[in-house]
Amino acid sequence: MNVPLWVWLAVIGFILLMLVVDLVAHRHAHVISVREAAVWSGIWVFFGVVFGVIVWRVWGAEFGQQYFAGYLIEKSLAVDNVFVWAIIFTFFAVPREYQHRVLFFGVLGALVFRGIFIAGGAVLIQNFSWILYVFAAFLLFTGVRMLFQRNEHIDPEKSRALKLFRRYVPMTDAFHGQRFLVRKNGILLATPLLAVLVLVEVTDIVFAVDSIPAIFAVTDEVFLVFTANAFAILGLRAMYFLLADLIHRFVYLKIGLALVLVWVGIKMALKIDLYYIPTPISLAVITTILSVAVVASLIKTRGQGRHEPPAPAVAPFRTAGAEEIAALQPVWGGRRAAARGRAADAGSSGLGGSADDDAQRAPLQDRVGGEPADDGTSRVDRRP
């Protein structure tokens, strides 16, 4: 498959343009409605399908089928991301109007990391053909494990990434709008929203370890691997807001995803030295497995309506008020501004400082979700 450089640049440019459009369209924090999520989901699926049709027409049916097989695999595995995101947002009690901003930067990071993984995987396959056996064995192992552990879910509180973040990054006890960083009393602090973003990025990297080998099982073309991943990931945010209130209904989807991983693992193992399963057959098998899993799930849970995932009894973080947000210092250059303010206060009093200055310079308490400090500022989270 010969793909000119300008085609690569055009596709990447289109992806970046759509990200900018999405960011501008959601620049103001608001709750994403089901209707809005459905519209955006339709837009992203439309672009993904149209691109597949272009590949089919320009490079032939075989490559078109490979793209659609990879796109379907990535799109279906992405549903698992949606479930995990719902658990993370519920654990942190993230207000719904702030969730889109987290997912926007989460998807942007996912595109970067997956691009790196795809490039690394292509280099490994090109230089070490035996690595395909490792990928096939890994896919089979992952599929079987998912089949027997389908009822297990991530526990954000036990996440090593979250523990490391809490240990080394000072954090406020409140959401400050859509901000990831704030500055108080000259100290740069992370907000809980940044901790959520870090956890979202880490979980996507974990999922990429499964999905990247899976798509290499249906196509060796790096261009198709990247574009199938990109167009599947771009619709993840809209998919989350569309399906987050319905995750309780997809009871058999994990079984379907596990069988898909087992199937592509078998396909990869066979194609190395034994037999290449034609792409139309692979595409038909994947489509059938996922369709049966979804339809069976909806039949099993018919009559159940939408409802949000259960929220914690006590929210771990509060939401800062308008006055508290208005009193924040500039994130960049705030340390110098705070120092100038203290110097001015000291000069006006003729002393080295006041009791209020000492209180502002005092270290914030190490506590998660604690009450506001006596001076009205938030406490910092350094809990291991």
Side-chain angles (χ1 to χ4, degrees), residues 110-303:
L111 287 171
V112 173
F113 284 118
R114 293 197 181 211
I116 295 172
F117 290 164
I118 291 169
V123 170
L124 288 175
I125 292 173
Q126 184 176 3
N127 293 278
F128 308 100
S129 58
W130 53 264
I131 201 70
L132 292 174
Y133 289 107
V134 177
F135 286 172
F138 178 76
L139 289 172
L140 290 170
F141 170 77
T142 304
V144 172
R145 184 184 62 179
M146 183 184 293
L147 191 62
F148 288 98
Q149 298 179 356
R150 60 184 181 274
N151 295 322
E152 295 184 9
H153 302 287
I154 182 176
D155 186 352
E157 193 170 14
K158 296 180 180 178
S159 169
R160 294 181 181 179
L162 182 59
K163 290 180 179 179
L164 289 173
F165 185 89
R166 285 174 164 173
R167 175 173 296 177
Y168 295 108
V169 180
M171 188 171 73
T172 68
D173 71 330
F175 294 104
H176 289 72
Q178 298 190 89
R179 294 171 176 82
F180 293 115
L181 297 169
V182 295
R183 187 180 292 277
K184 292 187 177 183
N185 302 323
I187 302 174
L188 188 64
L189 305 171
T191 68
L193 213 59
L194 184 58
V196 175
L197 176 60
V198 169
L199 202 53
V200 165
E201 292 287 8
V202 171
T203 54
D204 184 77
I205 291 175
V206 173
F207 279 112
V209 175
D210 296 339
S211 64
I212 299 303
I215 194 171
F216 270 115
V218 297
T219 179
D220 297 327
E221 298 295 335
V222 177
F223 180 71
L224 298 182
V225 173
F226 173 76
T227 52
N229 259 277
F231 282 105
I233 291 173
L234 285 173
L236 270 183
R237 296 179 307 284
M239 182 188 293
Y240 168 79
F241 292 107
L242 186 63
L243 300 181
D245 296 344
L246 294 173
I247 59 175
H248 60 283
R249 297 200 59 186
F250 293 93
V251 292
Y252 297 130
L253 185 61
K254 277 274 192 177
I255 297 177
L257 296 178
L259 294 178
V260 167
L261 290 178
V262 170
W263 167 254
V264 295
I266 293 173
K267 173 180 168 58
M268 177 175 279
L270 291 177
K271 82 170 185 177
I272 298 172
D273 294 311
L274 298 176
Y275 176 70
Y276 176 76
I277 299 176
T279 303
I281 295 178
S282 294
L283 186 57
V285 170
I286 294 170
T287 303
T288 301
I289 291 174
L290 294 175
S291 300
V292 170
V294 171
V295 172
S297 296
L298 296 178
I299 293 175
K300 174 71 174 179
T301 59
R302 61 182 178 275

Side-chain angles (χ1 to χ4, degrees), residues 32-42 237-242:
I32 307 296
S33 66
V34 174
R35 180 179 178 181
E36 183 180 358
V39 170
W40 276 98
S41 293
R237 296 179 307 284
M239 182 188 293
Y240 168 79
F241 292 107
L242 186 63

